[in-house]
Amino acid sequence: MRTTTPTSRRRALVLGALTATALTLGACGASGGASAGNGNDGGSGSGSDGGPVSIEYWHRLPSVEGAKSVDDLVAEWNEDNPDVQVKATALQGAAADSYPKIATAVEAGNAPCLAQVGVDRVPDLLSTGQLLDVTEQASQYEENYLPYAWSRATFDGATYGIPQDTGPLVLYYRADLFEEYGIDVPKTWDDFRAAAQTVKEHNPEARLASFLPDEAMWFMALSSANGAQWWGIDGDSWRVDIDSAPTQEVAEYWQGLIDEDLVATTPRWDPSFDQALADGTLVATVGASWEAPLIAGSAPDTAGKWAVAQIPMWDTGKPLVGEDGGSIVAVLNGCEQPEAAVAFADWLNTNVEGLMPLGLFPATEPPAEGFATPETLVEFYGGQEIYDEFAAANEAVNPDWSFSPTTGVTLTAIQDGAGQMLTGGPTLPEIVADAQASSVQSLEQAGISVAD
């Protein structure tokens, strides 16, 4: 075991990585007169001047034609809660660009109370002192959410926000082409390989699906669906287990499909991917729940021909699904009204009728009758209530998965390696081994103890 900062508590494993900058951030939050659980007047219904409490919320939620916008939802809250007024600000640019903005704002002491944060970035923001412990204020809302989704907003029993959405993997497929080619929906990855061979035999220009070299989190989700646990806590240290048997099995499987030319290697965010969905040369794709409206938008002329199923399983007796995406509404360090902030976040994130038309699949427990799929998606997916499939996938998400404080570094290493693979670089199994080394190195460079 290489230990740089031995501690007795798991939480200290992350907080122990605080750099001098992060310590400054913590001081900044304290100077604002607020900290979680300190009895501040957050949620009391009045600010320090006796007027309404003001809460700002930074987000990256889209505007969708025909759906209520985030501003519309906030207006509804503000009308019903005159003592807690919320202002929503949509962050522009790439998702990764939002995190430096959040960090800068927290450091400057002018951060909003709330910000939408990807589940993979929560440990990172926690380790750098950007999140506020709101366990006391948030615990009353825990039962509203799926246990695994709630765990993405917590660390060592402390809560730092409210789950917003989830991204379980499912299989999107062209039902008409499956029928034409005589393919049953694959239940196992062996079935998936056989289906890939059948597609190629029927149409040499088509492939069943694509390995996505620009989607490292997608590969991580596939590994999670095979029971991998890339990160965890081992005593007083972090454990890194990326180069493990489950992940190598996934890597070798997809490397085999690539080597046999049974799948494409089209990047997910290249226009050619959308074109292949539209012209039928990609017959299926393994994707997160949030991709449902994207696929509909990419291939509008194929409306009514698509369907959704569970992803193939490695062990049908023990179904597991990985998550590609998902977010929480995090409470940022320096928030002076944590109780009001989490009250609004819970109201927003349980407002499933408002969020689902924006393409979010809720992190909440589904109602007895199930979530109603938006009509536009029902029409595109051949009349199927695809949200039932998403809910079923959520029930099978790997509950033991956790992210690390340097998840982003690992994902970048995998994505860079996958890009090189396309031009004769390392194989997927080699990329996995490299990712292991990269993750260990990044954690140690951050001053975090890593177990051998």
Side-chain angles (χ1 to χ4, degrees):
M1 177 185 296
R2 295 184 293 273
T3 303
T4 56
T5 312
T7 65
S8 60
R9 298 182 64 234
R10 291 182 175 181
R11 184 177 171 195
L13 291 170
V14 169
L15 298 180
L18 288 172
T19 63
T21 299
L23 289 171
T24 301
L25 296 176
C28 175
S31 68
S35 63
N38 67 356
N40 190 27
D41 62 349
S44 63
S46 63
S48 58
D49 60 355
V53 168
S54 295
I55 301 293
E56 188 170 4
Y57 165 47
W58 285 4
H59 69 89
R60 295 186 47 76
L61 300 178
S63 294
V64 176
E65 185 176 355
K68 292 181 180 178
S69 67
V70 174
D71 287 340
D72 292 335
L73 298 174
V74 167
E76 292 177 1
W77 163 274
N78 287 340
E79 183 176 355
D80 293 340
N81 297 273
D83 293 337
V84 181
Q85 294 295 287
V86 176
K87 175 188 176 184
T89 300
L91 297 175
Q92 305 300 317
D97 296 339
S98 63
Y99 298 107
K101 294 177 182 176
I102 292 171
T104 299
V106 173
E107 183 174 8
N110 56 13
C113 262
L114 300 171
Q116 183 186 12
V117 173
V119 293
D120 57 309
R121 300 301 296 265
V122 173
D124 181 8
L125 269 65
L126 176 58
S127 72
T128 50
Q130 298 178 56
L131 302 184
L132 195 62
D133 181 347
V134 290
T135 307
E136 179 181 330
Q137 295 85 0
S139 60
Q140 61 186 305
Y141 306 117
E142 179 175 355
E143 65 181 14
N144 294 338
Y145 299 91
L146 295 165
Y148 96 82
W150 187 261
S151 74
R152 303 301 185 243
T154 64
F155 188 85
D156 192 35
T159 303
Y160 299 92
I162 302 292
Q164 182 157 76
D165 74 309
T166 58
L169 289 180
V170 293
L171 178 68
Y172 298 92
Y173 67 98
R174 282 283 297 272
D176 60 325
L177 295 179
F178 267 38
E179 181 177 2
E180 179 181 339
Y181 299 160
I183 299 173
D184 294 328
V185 175
K187 302 296 185 186
T188 68
W189 288 107
D190 285 341
D191 295 341
F192 188 85
R193 175 188 291 276
Q197 292 171 328
T198 300
V199 168
K200 186 177 178 182
E201 289 168 2
H202 278 268
N203 182 356
E205 302 300 319
R207 295 294 179 271
L208 174 63
S210 179
F211 177 82
L212 308 179
D214 58 343
E215 270 290 330
M217 197 161 176
W218 173 82
F219 178 75
M220 183 166 63
L222 290 173
S223 301
S224 178
N226 194 26
Q229 299 175 36
W230 285 11
W231 298 285
I233 301 296
D234 185 356
D236 291 339
S237 301
W238 279 82
R239 183 190 71 254
V240 180
D241 204 16
I242 298 172
D243 191 12
S244 61
T247 304
Q248 282 292 357
E249 185 174 24
V250 172
E252 290 169 3
Y253 174 83
W254 282 92
Q255 186 66 56
L257 294 179
I258 294 169
D259 291 345
E260 296 174 42
D261 193 25
L262 292 177
V263 296
T265 54
T266 309
R268 176 62 184 90
W269 306 113
D270 189 281
S272 60
F273 186 92
D274 291 339
Q275 180 59 43
L277 293 177
D279 64 21
T281 52
L282 269 185
V283 178
T285 183
V286 175
S289 53
W290 46 264
E291 294 203 56
L294 301 182
I295 293 171
S298 299
D301 292 341
T302 61
K305 298 178 179 178
W306 286 86
V308 176
Q310 298 302 299
I311 62 170
M313 296 293 160
W314 292 98
D315 183 348
T316 55
K318 299 177 181 177
L320 274 181
V321 170
E323 53 183 321
D324 180 5
S327 65
I328 73 168
V329 175
V331 183
L332 300 181
N333 202 349
C335 176
E336 296 184 351
Q337 307 290 348
E339 186 171 351
V342 296
F344 166 73
D346 177 70
W347 174 86
L348 177 66
N349 295 345
T350 56
N351 189 347
V352 297
E353 292 183 357
L355 291 179
M356 287 197 300
L358 300 180
L360 278 69
F361 191 70
T364 58
E365 296 280 1
E369 67 277 16
F371 293 120
T373 306
E375 189 57 35
T376 54
L377 294 181
V378 172
E379 293 176 2
F380 184 82
Y381 291 94
Q384 183 182 6
E385 288 283 346
I386 62 172
Y387 277 20
D388 289 345
E389 292 291 341
F390 297 166
N394 252 343
E395 290 296 323
V397 166
N398 184 344
D400 299 322
W401 182 267
S402 63
F403 298 96
S404 90
T406 59
T407 298
V409 175
T410 303
L411 295 178
T412 298
I414 292 173
Q415 192 158 313
D416 289 347
Q420 296 167 8
M421 177 188 70
L422 301 182
T423 57
T427 64
L428 282 173
E430 291 170 339
I431 292 169
V432 168
D434 292 343
Q436 168 84 21
S438 176
S439 180
V440 170
Q441 181 182 43
S442 63
L443 286 167
E444 292 183 333
Q445 287 179 341
I448 298 174
S449 171
V450 180
D452 285 333

